[in-house]
Amino acid sequence: MEISEKLWGSIVDVYNSILKHPFILELVEGTLNREKFKYYIVQDYLYLREFSKALAVLSAKAENEDQALLFATHVQDVIKVEKALHNFYIKEFNINIEDYEINPTNLAYTSYLIAVTYTRPFHEGISAVLPCYWIYMEVGKELLKRGSKDQYYQKWIETYGGEEYEKGVRNVINIVNNLNVTEEEFNRMRVHFRTASVYEYMFWDAAYRFERFPFHVEKNKGV
């Protein structure tokens, strides 16, 4: 069994819970409250800004030039491709990003990714960022079978359920499968993979609940 298969097998319960979450179910039905979707888009926009930093660290820690180039390219893709999708919604829904602050789950998740990629070895770092890639691909492919009655939600589904996105994800999975790790090193990878997967569930749940800090958090203008 390949490393990726073992990792995915450790989060089947988390993935199934994501598919059953009301945010996902209502997205397909087209009944998801538009404000919840807008809130999610803003949080995902803020998330990708930090996620790209984690990818940049992975690129620097890569074990060979091909890996380094892949993650460096993905940094550009995050900024250009995925943010282009978010910018579409931001413009379409007339969203002012400055009206929002990063929510607790988003801050905790992105801080975790940056901490792992920065302080831990390459194989642990890639296992932490992989759920973001992989879960979105699987959710997109599953929802593509169902479709959505709402054109805006359908556009989101088609982006993450599309072949181009899957190609990028498969490249990362291939790197994971070619890692030479001991059983102890794999076990650490599995912990990070599952932790990040749980954060993925929490991310959608936070958007559905309009999660916010109990008090206003001052924005860091230097970021």
Side-chain angles (χ1 to χ4, degrees), residues 41-53 74-91 97 159-160:
I41 289 295
V42 170
Q43 291 301 319
D44 207 31
Y45 181 95
L46 298 174
Y47 169 89
L48 290 174
R49 183 180 61 187
E50 303 305 307
F51 184 68
S52 64
K53 296 176 185 176
H74 282 195
V75 171
Q76 292 181 322
D77 290 343
V78 165
I79 294 172
K80 292 181 180 179
V81 180
E82 293 198 56
K83 278 202 172 181
L85 176 68
H86 292 82
N87 284 332
F88 165 80
Y89 290 117
I90 289 169
K91 181 179 179 181
I97 294 291
T159 297
Y160 293 106

Side-chain angles (χ1 to χ4, degrees), residues 113-128:
L113 293 180
I114 291 175
V116 173
T117 54
Y118 184 75
T119 65
R120 303 303 301 164
F122 177 75
H123 61 272
E124 291 186 39
I126 194 172
S127 67

Side-chain angles (χ1 to χ4, degrees), residues 135-172:
I135 289 176
Y136 265 66
M137 181 188 77
E138 295 296 345
V139 169
K141 288 169 63 178
E142 179 61 32
L143 299 193
L144 199 58
K145 300 174 186 176
R146 311 177 195 177
S148 176
K149 298 175 183 177
D150 187 291
Q151 61 174 332
Y152 292 115
Y153 302 162
Q154 181 64 24
K155 181 178 178 64
W156 184 93
I157 290 171
E158 290 174 353
T159 297
Y160 293 106
E163 293 181 3
E164 190 62 31
Y165 182 76
E166 181 173 357
K167 181 180 177 181
V169 177
R170 294 296 177 191
N171 288 334
V172 179

